[in-house]
Amino acid sequence: MHPAKTPVTSRGRAKHVIAVLVVPDSVALEVTVGHQVFGPRMSAIVELTRDAESAYEVVLCGEQPRQVLSSGVDFGELASLDTLLTAVLVPCVEDPPAERLLPLLAALRGAAGNGARMVSFCGGAFLARAGLLDGRRATTHRLFTEEFRREFPDVRLEPGCW
């Protein structure tokens, strides 16, 4: 499957595609925060004009074509992991230390290898499980600090954010 063409603005500039990852235990609030911050309405506010066109295309993607969260929230049809191209936002999950599926970890590694910008919220730092934080500074929720430090000794954990 080939990823879709990069969308463009009415001025012909390529939009930044931000893939918001949705997994079974994603925290719905944080999925929507990513969409709200980078979606068209907020971009117009930031540009201080109602007619401003967003420079971002926000796409919810996941391991399955549809993923009802453990909280019962259903975001509808999701794009495939092939969408992880230029920027990836990993929202917090209910169980950060949980094992993740190999295709998901491989997709994250592939996106990083292709130069995608990546960020995770709070306990969403399971980017470490994909080996993407080795040798880098990171933080996680204070409740997960000790477990994170034990499991990912190659990550320079910065405690105290929460």
Side-chain angles (χ1 to χ4, degrees):
M1 175 184 219
H2 296 288
K5 288 185 177 182
T6 302
V8 295
T9 67
S10 59
R11 295 182 180 150
R13 293 186 306 204
K15 289 188 174 193
H16 299 282
V17 178
I18 299 175
V20 179
L21 189 61
V22 179
V23 296
D25 64 334
S26 290
V27 175
L29 173 65
E30 294 199 7
V31 172
T32 57
V33 165
H35 194 277
Q36 181 71 31
V37 168
F38 294 105
R41 181 76 180 118
M42 187 58 73
S43 294
I45 291 169
V46 170
E47 294 292 330
L48 302 177
T49 172
R50 283 198 151 123
D51 298 327
E53 186 176 9
S54 176
Y56 302 104
E57 178 79 18
V58 180
V59 179
L60 300 181
C61 65
E63 301 164 294
Q64 304 295 323
R66 188 173 203 128
Q67 181 65 66
V68 177
L69 303 184
S70 56
S71 63
V73 174
D74 182 351
F75 287 108
E77 188 174 331
L78 302 173
S80 73
L81 293 177
D82 292 342
T83 307
L84 306 179
L85 296 174
T86 59
V88 180
L89 191 151
V90 181
C92 185
V93 291
E94 294 171 2
D95 188 10
E99 292 292 324
R100 300 295 161 177
L101 297 178
L102 293 178
L104 170 63
L105 299 179
L108 290 170
R109 283 190 292 272
N114 289 328
R117 294 179 180 182
M118 302 192 137
V119 64
S120 71
F121 292 160
C122 197
F126 70 78
L127 288 173
R129 193 168 303 288
L132 300 176
L133 299 177
D134 290 353
R136 297 176 182 256
R137 286 180 27 206
T139 191
T140 192
H141 193 284
R142 64 181 166 81
L143 296 176
F144 305 114
T145 300
E146 292 309 313
E147 186 170 2
F148 188 96
R149 186 173 278 132
R150 277 192 307 274
E151 188 168 350
F152 307 110
D154 294 332
V155 177
R156 296 187 332 240
L157 188 63
E158 297 283 337
C161 281
W162 291 93

